[in-house]
Amino acid sequence: MNKHNKPIRSGMGRSTPDRIFVQGRDLVKDVIGTLNLGDMAYLEMTGRLPDAHQSRVFNAILVTLVEHGMTPMAIATRLVYLGAPESLQAAVAAGLCGMGTTFAGTAEGAARMLHEAWEQHNGADADSLARDIVADFRAKGRSIPGVGHNLHKPQDPRTARLFEVAAQEGHAGRYVELMQAIGRHAQAAYDKPLPVNATGAIGALCCELGISWKAARGIAVIGRAVGLVGHLVEEQGNPIAREIWLRTEEEASRQDQTPADAGR
Amino acid sequence: MNKHNKPIRSGMGRSTPDRIFVQGRDLVKDVIGTLNLGDMAYLEMTGRLPDAHQSRVFNAILVTLVEHGMTPMAIATRLVYLGAPESLQAAVAAGLCGMGTTFAGTAEGAARMLHEAWEQHNGADADSLARDIVADFRAKGRSIPGVGHNLHKPQDPRTARLFEVAAQEGHAGRYVELMQAIGRHAQAAYDKPLPVNATGAIGALCCELGISWKAARGIAVIGRAVGLVGHLVEEQGNPIAREIWLRTEEEASRQDQTPADAGR
Amino acid sequence: MNKHNKPIRSGMGRSTPDRIFVQGRDLVKDVIGTLNLGDMAYLEMTGRLPDAHQSRVFNAILVTLVEHGMTPMAIATRLVYLGAPESLQAAVAAGLCGMGTTFAGTAEGAARMLHEAWEQHNGADADSLARDIVADFRAKGRSIPGVGHNLHKPQDPRTARLFEVAAQEGHAGRYVELMQAIGRHAQAAYDKPLPVNATGAIGALCCELGISWKAARGIAVIGRAVGLVGHLVEEQGNPIAREIWLRTEEEASRQDQTPADAGR
Amino acid sequence: MNKHNKPIRSGMGRSTPDRIFVQGRDLVKDVIGTLNLGDMAYLEMTGRLPDAHQSRVFNAILVTLVEHGMTPMAIATRLVYLGAPESLQAAVAAGLCGMGTTFAGTAEGAARMLHEAWEQHNGADADSLARDIVADFRAKGRSIPGVGHNLHKPQDPRTARLFEVAAQEGHAGRYVELMQAIGRHAQAAYDKPLPVNATGAIGALCCELGISWKAARGIAVIGRAVGLVGHLVEEQGNPIAREIWLRTEEEASRQDQTPADAGR
């Protein structure tokens, strides 16, 4: 007899011989031929179908996250595919493993910052919340999520476009306002260009759509999975992983090397 | 001096301070707010923007692949998230690692079978190609990719819908015809229900869209990444991984167990 | 011309047609037939060969970390193998992805705590350092790494044995002393059994051997990789993943389920 | 009520408050301080403790597999660590994902070839079995697992040493004999240096130790996990991943690039 008897329940999907349900919707009647992939992601993550406005904003977020050129994750994916071409899925998985704090955590951080600020605002307006947030991060010596970019300055071109799309669809509310105010106050406090970057914009739009900050990293994972598959299709036609490997191996193993040189 | 000097080239993406290019398109002007995620995946995988017909067919393929309920991969993703909740991306990666031959290889196999058959057809029509293919697989004792399903019989409801969408968009050509013929001949040869299943339909539609069979598994990976993120969002609100673990651990470690019982 | 020209150097290994060097040692003459796998791990992680004392302590740490029965990671590895039996390596990788903060971060945390305490001790002895550490964690409401266990109480049997082996080999110094003092003070402060657990003992012994706390998680990864391969060998002879999957799927998809029930 | 009621059993490990059993052995009394990591791997994979001879041969196999310098997998592991330094375990997992057919499948293939040959030998001796095997692979145009090396020729220095250790320990039997005969016949048939390489030697020694060819890849995974952790420890002290990334990104995104150039 089992001591453990918490029921195991899920509403993700179930099948009968002639029907398939996903999130309680009929896959054949309501999904295939009707939803695009971004809408399907919205359904999976929220349990609701997006309306046309939510669909455009959510798809805008997702497509922004797909492709960032030859990132460390894209290179890792190509190298792993070189070793295991029979397991394309494992090569994508390897690249996804690199979506940690260095490159991918900031949309999550921005969404959390914005969400918590409005949850505890006590009547404060966006401008004063932003001033407090910037002062707080500054006092702790921590960088503010969602502002600043080493290449895109003085403005990140994606941010203006994402906020424009959100405004067109009626989803540029108080989270967008707060994120923009944080950018202004950060710029003033540090006296250097600290534009709201794409992850700041995406964090704000996730909040506008009611998506939990805990799920924000999942949106980045979905976008990047698409991009890494794209890199593998390019790698199939124009392989570069072998060249990266051979150059690196040759340089790293030059005979003037000793373990001591390697800094340990 | 480097011995290795093959140039490293890629057309996936590049950035300047005020512009970002993806597949040669301007991300801000041409992509954000314009493309849905399925269209973006098509752009990444083919280098081309889909027209409205291709977009509907390709998105239909993708959404079919997202959610299959509580698969081994979904359970594995939830268990890994229990161990490393700070690394949502690694939990998705863990589940993707399971998309191998058992569950996910068949769309690839079907696409390859159809592609190669029409490449080498020598004037044969779909019906005679199908008869030869079925006879060939049968003689070798191998199962035919894309036909048969343990639950969905006598018909897989997704297949009819996918072929209907393709026909509506003008993409139900000779690959669809051949896949259907293979289903008919398989059914006759084995004298049991062997409907074209969803992976057979998807393999055929990939060929219709001109997507290489080598990339077909990538489409499945994209769809499944969306689904696994969905499972983690449900797990955040309604955790079940701990219960699965504790029940399994308890049963597996009952004291009447000895290593010998475990079959080794 | 490259802007990026930091040299790429490594002392891990290199080969000529008739010789292979690992960490500057001749693989054939100095390693194969001479070192055991634990010694090799020590060489890889420190660049030095262990003496007999270090070898016994380091191998004791490693073997303690190999097998913990049917953990979430072991179950995930088996489920992924069910999906991709052709990629045993990806199944092990999937399980390793789950070695995050929930189960595996504490040896790292204990090693760091002990290392930093002695680095900044200012003449304090182990007992007063321990008292301050316990008070500090208590004040912050954070749990102390390396003490307490939900099953093994009042003592974790592994701890006494690990400390005994270390003492026999002359490696039970001030880090062991401090860890033991932390256990005593924790027990007094919280008035409940908080024995030094295996990860606390391992954290202390890593410090005794001069291994950086940043590398401590790597030792756990090595141990667990061995254990997960063991689980797959058992799974090959006595498969259980399919049963875990089918039971979970059946219970999760019962028809009295609706998405609303699933708590979202 | 469950339809699925196959019992879930395992002999890997179980715990009581004061004892821990691994493979039926008492971890504290029989393992910690007694076994080295290679012996523990043997216990996990076979359910038996190795004698001194088996221990030396098995550890020799394992240490040979640890370090191969700057492989694609090692580079991928370093790049993923750059992106997610908080998840060392996921970086190791990413590298392991690359241990597929290109680099790691051959020990498995050699072990299988040798195992099946002696299982079906019908009284033939090693020399005639080897002649038939070489002829068979040649007729099918497939490469013979375990022979040939692009750098180590005319001999792979690891092979002689592994066979020497095996002979010293009384484990150089008919599988070693057959592998050596295959090397001789391959060299004669192709009229070029085709020495038995390290994976051929390892495949033969796995058979000598009674380890299933299905588990041979697991041994490679264990060895490589140790090596990848070593690479991350070096990366912590002497980071090179960022340089590899920046050089690759710069070269790949030069402005004379167009998607067309990228070969698609």
Side-chain angles (χ1 to χ4, degrees):
Chain A
M1 202 187 66
N2 254 319
K3 286 188 302 195
H4 303 286
N5 50 18
K6 185 174 166 266
I8 292 172
R9 304 196 160 238
S10 169
M12 300 306 287
R14 64 183 177 84
S15 299
T16 65
D18 62 349
R19 296 183 72 184
I20 295 160
F21 297 91
V22 175
Q23 298 282 340
R25 263 80 187 181
D26 187 306
L27 178 69
V28 165
K29 287 192 188 148
D30 304 334
V31 176
I32 299 176
T34 306
L35 299 191
N36 64 53
L37 183 62
D39 296 346
M40 184 72 184
Y42 188 92
L43 175 61
E44 283 277 292
M45 295 183 72
T46 68
R48 301 184 305 272
L49 287 172
D51 64 27
H53 306 293
Q54 293 162 330
S55 170
R56 186 153 174 260
V57 174
F58 194 62
N59 274 292
I61 292 172
L62 284 163
V63 300
T64 303
L65 290 160
V66 166
E67 182 56 66
H68 293 72
M70 205 57 78
T71 58
M73 288 83 94
I75 304 169
T77 284
R78 289 169 182 254
L79 288 163
V80 169
Y81 188 64
L82 174 64
E86 73 283 8
S87 301
L88 183 143
Q89 70 279 2
V92 175
L96 290 182
C97 282
M99 293 189 61
T101 51
T102 308
F103 299 108
T106 50
E108 180 181 82
R112 182 177 191 171
M113 172 182 72
L114 299 170
H115 174 77
E116 293 181 348
W118 279 121
E119 212 175 34
Q120 309 153 0
H121 69 110
N122 277 326
D125 67 2
D127 194 70
S128 63
L129 283 175
R131 197 182 45 228
D132 292 352
I133 287 169
V134 169
D136 185 47
F137 274 93
R138 232 191 150 191
K140 291 178 179 154
R142 291 168 49 206
S143 60
I144 305 169
V147 301
H149 199 282
N150 63 345
L151 175 64
H152 298 305
K153 43 192 174 190
Q155 298 299 330
D156 185 326
R158 297 164 293 186
T159 301
R161 178 62 177 149
L162 284 164
F163 285 165
E164 180 186 40
V165 170
Q168 289 168 351
E169 305 301 331
H171 281 286
R174 61 182 184 164
Y175 298 101
V176 170
E177 188 189 357
L178 178 55
M179 192 70 233
Q180 288 175 316
I182 290 169
R184 282 196 309 275
H185 280 283
Q187 206 131 335
Y190 290 90
D191 195 25
K192 63 174 181 179
L194 281 173
V196 176
N197 60 34
T199 59
I202 287 167
L205 296 192
C206 285
C207 290
E208 297 286 347
L209 292 175
I211 291 169
S212 162
W213 64 264
K214 289 184 192 171
R217 195 180 294 199
I219 298 174
V221 168
I222 289 171
R224 198 56 61 94
V226 175
L228 292 175
V229 169
H231 277 266
L232 289 179
V233 174
E234 190 185 67
E235 181 75 17
Q236 290 174 341
N238 175 41
I240 62 170
R242 193 173 191 83
E243 179 71 19
I244 296 168
W245 162 42
L246 293 175
R247 287 190 199 177
T248 303
E249 186 188 48
E250 187 197 49
E251 183 173 340
S253 63
R254 285 200 188 136
Q255 296 207 15
D256 55 329
Q257 284 290 118
T258 70
D261 290 338
R264 196 159 65 191
Chain B
M1 202 187 63
N2 255 320
K3 286 187 303 194
H4 303 288
N5 50 18
K6 184 172 165 269
I8 291 172
R9 308 199 156 234
S10 170
M12 300 306 287
R14 64 184 178 83
S15 300
T16 67
D18 61 348
R19 295 183 74 185
I20 296 159
F21 296 92
V22 175
Q23 299 281 342
R25 263 80 187 181
D26 187 308
L27 177 69
V28 165
K29 288 193 188 147
D30 302 335
V31 176
I32 299 175
T34 306
L35 299 192
N36 64 53
L37 182 62
D39 296 345
M40 184 72 184
Y42 188 93
L43 174 61
E44 282 278 291
M45 294 184 72
T46 68
R48 301 184 305 272
L49 288 171
D51 63 28
H53 305 294
Q54 293 163 330
S55 170
R56 185 155 175 259
V57 174
F58 194 61
N59 274 292
I61 292 172
L62 285 163
V63 300
T64 303
L65 290 160
V66 166
E67 183 57 65
H68 292 72
M70 205 58 76
T71 58
M73 287 82 95
I75 304 169
T77 283
R78 289 167 181 255
L79 288 163
V80 168
Y81 187 65
L82 174 64
E86 72 284 6
S87 302
L88 184 144
Q89 70 280 1
V92 176
L96 290 182
C97 283
M99 294 189 60
T101 49
T102 308
F103 300 108
T106 51
E108 180 181 83
R112 181 177 193 172
M113 171 182 75
L114 299 171
H115 174 77
E116 292 180 348
W118 278 121
E119 212 175 36
Q120 309 153 1
H121 69 109
N122 279 326
D125 66 3
D127 194 71
S128 63
L129 283 174
R131 196 181 48 228
D132 291 354
I133 287 169
V134 170
D136 185 46
F137 274 91
R138 230 190 151 191
K140 291 176 179 156
R142 293 169 47 207
S143 59
I144 305 169
V147 301
H149 199 282
N150 61 346
L151 175 63
H152 298 305
K153 43 195 172 188
Q155 297 299 330
D156 185 327
R158 299 165 292 187
T159 302
R161 178 63 178 148
L162 285 164
F163 286 165
E164 179 187 41
V165 170
Q168 289 167 349
E169 305 301 333
H171 281 287
R174 62 182 183 164
Y175 299 101
V176 171
E177 187 189 358
L178 178 55
M179 193 69 234
Q180 289 175 314
I182 290 170
R184 281 195 309 274
H185 279 282
Q187 207 130 334
Y190 291 90
D191 195 23
K192 62 174 180 179
L194 283 172
V196 176
N197 60 34
T199 58
I202 287 168
L205 296 193
C206 285
C207 291
E208 297 287 346
L209 292 174
I211 291 170
S212 161
W213 64 265
K214 290 184 191 171
R217 194 180 295 198
I219 297 173
V221 169
I222 289 171
R224 197 55 61 94
V226 174
L228 292 176
V229 169
H231 276 265
L232 288 179
V233 174
E234 190 186 65
E235 181 76 15
Q236 291 174 341
N238 176 40
I240 61 170
R242 191 170 193 86
E243 179 71 19
I244 296 168
W245 163 41
L246 293 175
R247 287 190 199 177
T248 304
E249 186 188 47
E250 187 196 48
E251 182 172 343
S253 63
R254 286 202 187 133
Q255 296 206 16
D256 56 328
Q257 284 291 118
T258 69
D261 288 338
R264 193 156 69 194
Chain C
M1 202 186 64
N2 253 320
K3 286 188 302 195
H4 303 288
N5 49 17
K6 183 173 165 269
I8 292 172
R9 304 195 161 238
S10 169
M12 300 305 286
R14 63 184 177 82
S15 299
T16 66
D18 62 349
R19 295 183 73 185
I20 296 160
F21 296 92
V22 175
Q23 299 282 340
R25 262 81 187 181
D26 186 306
L27 178 68
V28 166
K29 287 191 188 147
D30 303 334
V31 176
I32 299 175
T34 306
L35 300 191
N36 64 53
L37 183 62
D39 296 345
M40 183 73 184
Y42 189 93
L43 174 62
E44 283 277 291
M45 294 183 73
T46 68
R48 300 185 305 273
L49 288 172
D51 63 27
H53 306 293
Q54 293 162 330
S55 170
R56 185 152 175 261
V57 175
F58 194 62
N59 275 292
I61 293 172
L62 286 163
V63 299
T64 303
L65 291 160
V66 166
E67 181 57 65
H68 292 71
M70 205 56 78
T71 59
M73 288 82 97
I75 304 169
T77 284
R78 289 169 182 253
L79 287 163
V80 168
Y81 187 65
L82 175 64
E86 73 283 7
S87 302
L88 183 144
Q89 70 278 2
V92 175
L96 290 182
C97 283
M99 293 189 61
T101 50
T102 308
F103 300 108
T106 50
E108 181 181 83
R112 183 178 191 171
M113 172 182 71
L114 300 171
H115 174 77
E116 293 181 347
W118 279 121
E119 211 175 35
Q120 309 154 2
H121 68 110
N122 278 326
D125 65 3
D127 194 71
S128 63
L129 283 174
R131 197 182 46 229
D132 291 354
I133 287 169
V134 169
D136 185 47
F137 273 93
R138 231 190 149 190
K140 291 178 179 153
R142 292 168 49 205
S143 60
I144 305 169
V147 300
H149 199 281
N150 62 345
L151 175 64
H152 298 306
K153 45 193 172 188
Q155 299 298 329
D156 185 327
R158 298 165 292 186
T159 302
R161 178 62 177 150
L162 285 164
F163 286 165
E164 180 187 39
V165 170
Q168 289 167 351
E169 305 300 333
H171 281 287
R174 61 181 185 166
Y175 298 102
V176 170
E177 188 190 356
L178 178 56
M179 193 68 233
Q180 288 175 316
I182 289 170
R184 280 195 310 275
H185 279 283
Q187 206 130 333
Y190 291 90
D191 195 25
K192 62 174 181 178
L194 282 173
V196 176
N197 60 34
T199 59
I202 287 168
L205 297 193
C206 285
C207 291
E208 297 287 345
L209 293 175
I211 291 170
S212 162
W213 65 265
K214 290 184 192 170
R217 194 179 296 198
I219 298 174
V221 169
I222 288 171
R224 199 55 62 94
V226 174
L228 292 175
V229 169
H231 277 266
L232 290 178
V233 174
E234 190 185 66
E235 181 76 17
Q236 290 173 342
N238 175 40
I240 63 171
R242 192 172 193 85
E243 179 71 20
I244 296 168
W245 162 43
L246 293 175
R247 287 191 198 176
T248 304
E249 186 188 48
E250 187 197 48
E251 182 172 342
S253 64
R254 286 201 186 134
Q255 296 207 15
D256 55 328
Q257 284 290 118
T258 70
D261 289 337
R264 194 159 65 194
Chain D
M1 202 188 63
N2 254 319
K3 285 187 303 193
H4 303 287
N5 50 18
K6 185 174 166 268
I8 291 173
R9 309 201 154 232
S10 169
M12 300 305 287
R14 63 184 177 83
S15 300
T16 67
D18 61 349
R19 295 182 75 183
I20 296 160
F21 297 91
V22 175
Q23 299 282 340
R25 262 81 185 181
D26 186 307
L27 178 68
V28 165
K29 287 193 188 148
D30 303 334
V31 175
I32 298 176
T34 306
L35 298 192
N36 65 53
L37 183 61
D39 296 346
M40 183 73 184
Y42 189 93
L43 175 61
E44 282 278 291
M45 295 183 72
T46 68
R48 300 184 306 272
L49 288 171
D51 63 27
H53 306 293
Q54 292 162 332
S55 171
R56 186 156 175 256
V57 174
F58 194 60
N59 275 291
I61 292 172
L62 284 163
V63 300
T64 303
L65 290 160
V66 167
E67 182 57 65
H68 293 72
M70 204 57 78
T71 58
M73 287 82 95
I75 304 169
T77 283
R78 289 168 181 256
L79 288 163
V80 168
Y81 187 65
L82 175 64
E86 73 282 7
S87 301
L88 183 144
Q89 70 279 0
V92 175
L96 290 182
C97 283
M99 294 190 60
T101 50
T102 308
F103 299 109
T106 50
E108 181 181 83
R112 182 178 192 171
M113 171 181 74
L114 299 171
H115 174 77
E116 293 180 347
W118 279 121
E119 211 175 38
Q120 308 154 2
H121 69 110
N122 278 327
D125 65 4
D127 193 71
S128 63
L129 283 175
R131 195 180 49 227
D132 291 354
I133 287 169
V134 170
D136 185 46
F137 274 92
R138 229 190 151 188
K140 291 177 180 157
R142 291 168 49 206
S143 60
I144 304 168
V147 300
H149 200 282
N150 62 347
L151 175 64
H152 298 306
K153 43 193 173 187
Q155 297 299 329
D156 185 325
R158 298 165 293 187
T159 302
R161 177 63 178 149
L162 285 163
F163 285 164
E164 179 187 39
V165 170
Q168 288 168 350
E169 305 301 332
H171 281 288
R174 61 181 184 165
Y175 298 101
V176 171
E177 187 189 359
L178 177 56
M179 192 69 233
Q180 289 175 315
I182 289 170
R184 282 195 310 274
H185 279 283
Q187 207 131 332
Y190 290 91
D191 196 24
K192 62 174 180 178
L194 282 174
V196 176
N197 59 34
T199 58
I202 287 167
L205 296 194
C206 285
C207 291
E208 297 287 347
L209 292 175
I211 291 169
S212 161
W213 65 264
K214 289 183 191 170
R217 195 180 294 198
I219 297 174
V221 169
I222 289 171
R224 198 54 62 94
V226 174
L228 292 175
V229 169
H231 276 266
L232 289 178
V233 174
E234 191 185 65
E235 181 76 16
Q236 290 174 341
N238 175 40
I240 61 171
R242 192 172 192 85
E243 178 72 19
I244 296 168
W245 163 40
L246 293 174
R247 287 190 198 177
T248 304
E249 187 188 48
E250 188 195 49
E251 182 171 342
S253 64
R254 287 205 186 131
Q255 296 206 17
D256 55 328
Q257 285 290 118
T258 69
D261 288 338
R264 192 156 70 192

